[in-house]
Amino acid sequence: MILKSFPEVPADPGVTRQVLSDSPELMVVAFRFNAEGAEGKLHNHPHVQSTYVESGRFAFTVAEETFEVSSGQSFVIPSNAVHGCRCLEPGTLIDTFAPRRDDFL
């Protein structure tokens, strides 16, 4: 079946994660930040990641560079780059991963 439904699960405090779609080559995931100050802790992974800010405002750190993003902005995080974010205004990030993050299934 092409259309699947995935549950929303806790990620970090004040943050939920929901897989929206996946294939072995690509995965789309919504991260919902419910409160100012909620964090996506610094981490890295071998997947290339693209982040689109659906709503809200965030301070991101990617490979020791810190910048702010808000609704409508998008950027790419290279494979293995250490990255994380802090929510400045509650909202949702739509992340894509290539290949799929099997640890999210």
Side-chain angles (χ1 to χ4, degrees):
M1 175 181 218
I2 289 178
L3 188 59
K4 299 178 192 173
S5 179
F6 297 91
E8 192 167 359
V9 298
D12 288 310
V15 184
T16 61
R17 176 182 75 226
Q18 183 178 23
V19 173
L20 301 177
S21 59
D22 81 300
S23 74
E25 301 82 15
L26 182 68
M27 174 179 268
V28 181
V29 181
F31 287 89
R32 296 179 181 95
F33 288 74
N34 301 310
E36 181 180 333
E39 293 185 0
K41 293 182 178 35
L42 287 174
H43 66 286
N44 68 329
H45 44 73
H47 314 81
V48 174
Q49 175 179 333
S50 173
T51 295
Y52 170 73
V53 184
E54 180 180 84
S55 60
R57 193 166 56 91
F58 300 85
F60 262 86
T61 299
V62 178
E64 298 183 15
E65 178 184 349
T66 300
F67 54 94
E68 285 189 22
V69 291
S70 58
S71 297
Q73 293 185 295
S74 183
F75 57 95
V76 172
I77 300 170
S79 175
N80 291 313
V82 174
H83 61 283
C85 70
R86 185 171 44 84
C87 179
L88 303 175
E89 179 182 301
T92 301
L93 300 174
I94 305 296
D95 289 348
T96 56
F97 299 94
R100 168 179 65 201
R101 290 209 40 183
D102 291 336
D103 56 322
F104 286 178
L105 296 176

